[in-house]
Amino acid sequence: MNPRRPMQPSPGGRRRGAGPSPRRRMLLVVGVLSLASLGLVARAFDLQVMQKQFYQDQGDARFLREVKIPVSRGTIFDRNGEPLAVSTPVMSIWANPPQVLENADRIPDLAAALGVDAGELKEHLAQRADREFVYLRRQMPPEAAQAVLDLDIPGINAQREFRRYYPSGEVTAHVLGFTNIDDHGQEGLELAFDDWLSGKPGAKRVIRDRMGHVVEDVEQVREPKPGKNLTLSIDRRIQFLAYNELKNALTEFDAASGSMVILDVPTGEVLAMVNLPTYNPNALAGSKFSDRRNRAVTDLIEPGSTIKPVLMAAALSSGKYTPTSPLIDTTGGHWYFQGHDIHDTHNYGLLTPTGVITKSSNVGAARIAMTLDTALMYNTYRAFGFGNSTNSGFPGESSGLLRIGRDWRPLEQAIMGYGYGLNVTPLQLANAYATLGDHGVMHTPSFIKGADNDPRAIVSPQVADEIVQMMETVTAPGGTATTARIANYIVAGKTGTAHKAAAGGYSRTNYTAAFAGLVPASHPRLVGVVIIDDPQKRSYYGGMVSAPVFARVMEGALRLLDVPPDNIGRWYAGGPLMSPNGLAGSKPPTDTPIDDAPVEDEP
């Protein structure tokens, strides 16, 4: 048997049928690993250098958040430092819907704590599953919000906020207004001074875990700036007095609504402003929009006979009249002018200009108006603020309505002498009387304490002082507002009873009862205007409905402000310029209130 021949090596030194050499395999492995390492290095370089900011931002977006630092809204005080509007801390519950839906079995517990239906809550979250932030309930009491957080449900968090609270409730509602759920003013002074009161929220960066809980404060981005406080001219004590008396009057006379404005005569500051019906700013749900309206600055009325002192300002300024002359013929109680019957409740015969005020004679006022230059009468009405905004700064304030004098027809001028054909707000009327009380100087009405600015002379001090003395007879025996008397004080004022405008003319059954007055008349400190809309029971005369409200409120206000009396032991002054009743050549009548009856014919 022949031995096998040894295998001959192949030309390349490899044996036939053998695999790659170890050297080649090593080189291949090293090459692959080198390429892989190079790829990893390149990828790392791309991630760490080229796309560093992108991925850092993505990481921060998941764990680093910028959150708002809430600030408290400024407190509103009355003139004596009593808080009228304060901000209280509350908590708002919010959710990260995807996280909550991942733990859907906890939704019933969450719904129970929030006081909502579990099915509706789940649907609410499902519809917003693409979001990371959804409010579930705003402005909860801190203890109620903490009860929700104690459930420790993933994706549920709380945010601190502030809620506005009004200690005086409905009494100051129309002046203050209210804020919305984001604590921004919506009406009243909350709206007018929103920028001042709001402040500027701060901001900070925080790190949150996957549950949304803050685990670390990183840095403060913006310093929080709390809102500034505001001190009003309102006196809360007088505001309560006015509110209570107005409310009682509306109940007694079954009236639809009412307003009262009280100004500080030397400065024009608003000491009180109340309206009824009203609302509770702490519980807006269910309140009517009409109840939120500040009627004292937005609603328009025809002033009726309360305009007569302003007419007298034009008459005395013309030089044609003094408080005692010339005599005006009102004989018969009627004056037929251009087919229109202007009439009084009684036949007063001859009246002095003071008597026209005392008796509130429409005939006398119309006759005086027709002797005046139209431009003078129009300019006087305009100078006293009618047809212009008072510039009080209150949102939604009306300018009223006063047609340009050159467009007046004769009959229009006549009836404008006793308060028809123009529209004013209660605030405008109060400001006009305050001008008379401050010796003819008008101040811009202000709701801010100490903000008296731009006082300007409207009529001469002599004219203004004479008109105030003329108005003293209105509350004297024989005047139309003896019910406005205040013991130991001289009261100067004027009643007004006006038909309300209706479709096609004027209503014969609906009236506006008004009284405007100054006290103490010898040195006026306060002016008050009371407007009661559509009284239905007992009486509708301004002297019987509105004047008593004025007396009761002002009596309390004078006491609170410690204003010294000017008429101890007497009811009225009856000074040298006039007889107490204003009648020419007659004896003072008995002390029986006689109000200015409304004009039965359409003005």
Side-chain angles (χ1 to χ4, degrees):
M1 186 171 180
N2 296 327
R4 303 178 74 178
R5 297 175 62 182
M7 184 178 291
Q8 298 297 321
S10 62
R14 291 169 45 197
R15 287 185 306 169
R16 185 178 298 170
S21 68
R23 176 181 173 80
R24 281 180 166 270
R25 284 198 297 266
M26 183 63 67
L27 291 174
L28 178 64
V29 170
V30 170
V32 170
L33 291 176
S34 298
L35 288 174
S37 299
L38 185 62
L40 290 174
V41 170
R43 181 57 175 164
F45 179 82
D46 180 61
L47 293 177
Q48 296 295 323
V49 179
M50 302 302 294
Q51 298 190 54
K52 175 182 178 181
Q53 191 61 45
F54 171 78
Y55 286 102
Q56 191 172 50
D57 291 343
Q58 290 296 306
D60 289 347
R62 288 162 173 77
F63 299 101
L64 188 63
R65 288 285 193 274
E66 183 174 300
V67 298
K68 183 174 70 172
I69 304 175
V71 295
S72 175
R73 191 174 176 86
T75 301
I76 300 179
F77 297 97
D78 86 334
R79 66 184 304 107
N80 299 310
E82 295 292 333
L84 299 178
V86 298
S87 290
T88 57
V90 291
M91 300 293 286
S92 290
I93 298 296
W94 64 273
N96 184 327
Q99 290 185 1
V100 178
L101 291 171
E102 288 176 2
N103 300 271
D105 58 317
R106 303 296 309 278
I107 290 180
D109 295 336
L110 176 62
L114 293 173
V116 299
D117 179 77
E120 293 179 356
L121 177 59
K122 185 174 182 179
E123 182 180 358
H124 179 79
L125 292 170
Q127 291 174 348
R128 296 159 178 80
D130 58 337
R131 304 182 188 179
E132 294 184 354
F133 183 97
V134 173
Y135 278 120
L136 297 184
R137 187 172 172 186
R138 301 288 299 274
Q139 298 187 348
M140 295 180 68
E143 61 276 10
Q146 188 59 48
V148 176
L149 295 178
D150 288 343
L151 296 174
D152 199 24
I153 299 175
I156 298 300
N157 300 276
Q159 177 176 298
R160 188 186 186 195
E161 295 182 318
F162 290 91
R163 181 181 180 182
R164 208 63 162 161
Y165 174 67
Y166 304 93
S168 299
E170 61 187 18
V171 176
T172 55
H174 291 109
V175 174
L176 300 178
F178 55 89
T179 61
N180 63 9
I181 198 166
D182 293 316
D183 216 20
H184 289 295
Q186 300 298 291
E187 290 188 17
L189 298 181
E190 290 276 28
L191 173 59
F193 293 93
D194 188 55
D195 289 342
W196 179 270
L197 294 164
S198 291
K200 303 295 181 184
K204 64 180 179 179
R205 288 194 179 93
V206 300
I207 294 177
R208 285 179 173 156
D209 61 18
R210 66 182 185 86
M211 305 291 290
H213 301 144
V214 175
V215 296
E216 181 182 351
D217 287 345
V218 177
E219 62 177 334
Q220 181 172 286
V221 178
R222 185 173 59 253
E223 182 181 0
K225 296 181 179 179
K228 301 174 185 176
N229 296 336
L230 189 65
T231 300
L232 303 184
S233 59
I234 297 293
D235 189 314
R236 191 180 68 159
R237 303 167 302 173
I238 300 176
Q239 184 84 5
F240 269 98
L241 273 175
Y243 173 82
N244 289 330
E245 292 300 336
L246 190 65
K247 186 175 182 179
N248 292 338
L250 262 61
T251 301
E252 179 181 357
F253 295 99
D254 191 23
S257 62
S259 299
M260 185 170 188
V261 178
I262 300 174
L263 302 182
D264 181 71
V265 171
T267 65
E269 292 181 357
V270 181
L271 298 180
M273 179 179 284
V274 296
N275 300 274
L276 288 168
T278 185
Y279 67 98
N280 185 354
N282 297 309
L284 288 174
S287 63
K288 299 177 182 178
F289 177 78
S290 58
D291 292 346
R292 301 178 190 176
R293 193 171 69 245
N294 188 344
R295 301 169 188 270
V297 297
T298 64
D299 285 18
L300 300 178
I301 62 167
E302 288 183 293
S305 292
T306 57
I307 202 69
K308 289 172 182 174
V310 180
L311 171 71
M312 286 300 175
L316 270 58
S317 297
S318 72
K320 297 179 180 180
Y321 294 88
T322 71
T324 57
S325 66
L327 299 180
I328 296 98
D329 187 6
T330 69
T331 302
H334 291 266
W335 182 36
Y336 295 93
F337 180 71
Q338 293 193 344
H340 187 80
D341 180 15
I342 299 172
H343 65 273
D344 296 328
T345 56
H346 295 76
N347 176 11
Y348 296 121
L350 295 176
L351 289 175
T352 64
T354 296
V356 171
I357 295 294
T358 309
K359 296 303 181 183
S360 196
S361 170
N362 293 335
V363 173
R367 285 189 178 277
I368 291 173
M370 293 313 299
T371 66
L372 299 177
D373 178 72
T374 301
L376 171 64
M377 184 172 167
Y378 168 77
N379 289 336
T380 302
Y381 278 30
R382 192 83 176 181
F384 272 88
F386 303 128
N388 295 312
S389 169
T390 67
N391 294 318
S392 69
F394 198 92
E397 180 180 1
S398 174
S399 297
L401 178 62
L402 177 66
R403 279 172 29 93
I404 297 175
R406 63 173 177 267
D407 296 333
W408 291 0
R409 300 184 304 274
L411 179 58
E412 188 176 6
Q413 181 167 340
I415 65 175
M416 209 170 286
Y418 53 92
Y420 287 96
L422 74 160
N423 295 102
V424 306
T425 66
L427 179 59
Q428 285 178 323
L429 192 60
N431 201 39
Y433 274 67
T435 300
L436 294 172
D438 200 26
H439 314 292
V441 175
M442 175 175 282
H443 301 263
T444 300
S446 172
F447 291 89
I448 305 302
K449 183 179 180 181
D452 184 20
N453 53 28
D454 192 30
R456 55 200 183 279
I458 300 302
V459 294
S460 71
Q462 179 182 349
V463 167
D465 294 347
E466 287 178 345
I467 293 172
V468 171
Q469 292 182 53
M470 294 166 74
M471 288 193 295
E472 291 177 19
T473 66
V474 174
T475 61
T480 60
T482 57
T483 54
R485 291 173 174 174
I486 301 175
N488 300 320
Y489 291 91
I490 305 173
V491 177
K494 186 69 195 74
T495 55
T497 308
H499 282 280
K500 292 187 65 176
Y506 285 83
S507 171
R508 296 183 179 276
T509 58
N510 303 100
Y511 305 93
T512 299
F515 181 82
L518 295 153
V519 66
S522 63
H523 188 70
R525 170 67 190 280
L526 302 177
V527 63
V529 168
V530 181
I531 306 293
I532 295 183
D533 178 45
D534 202 17
Q536 294 292 312
K537 293 194 310 186
R538 297 187 59 190
S539 179
Y540 53 83
Y541 290 156
M544 303 301 294
V545 177
S546 300
V549 176
F550 172 91
R552 291 192 289 268
V553 174
M554 290 304 194
E555 182 177 19
L558 290 167
R559 182 178 64 255
L560 289 170
L561 297 177
D562 199 23
V563 178
D566 64 341
N567 194 31
I568 297 177
R570 297 183 299 144
W571 280 111
Y572 62 92
L577 291 177
M578 63 211 76
S579 61
N581 64 331
L583 296 170
S586 65
K587 297 179 180 180
T590 58
D591 186 7
T592 302
I594 303 172
D595 206 318
D596 52 314
V599 180
E600 297 299 339
D601 293 338
E602 298 172 0

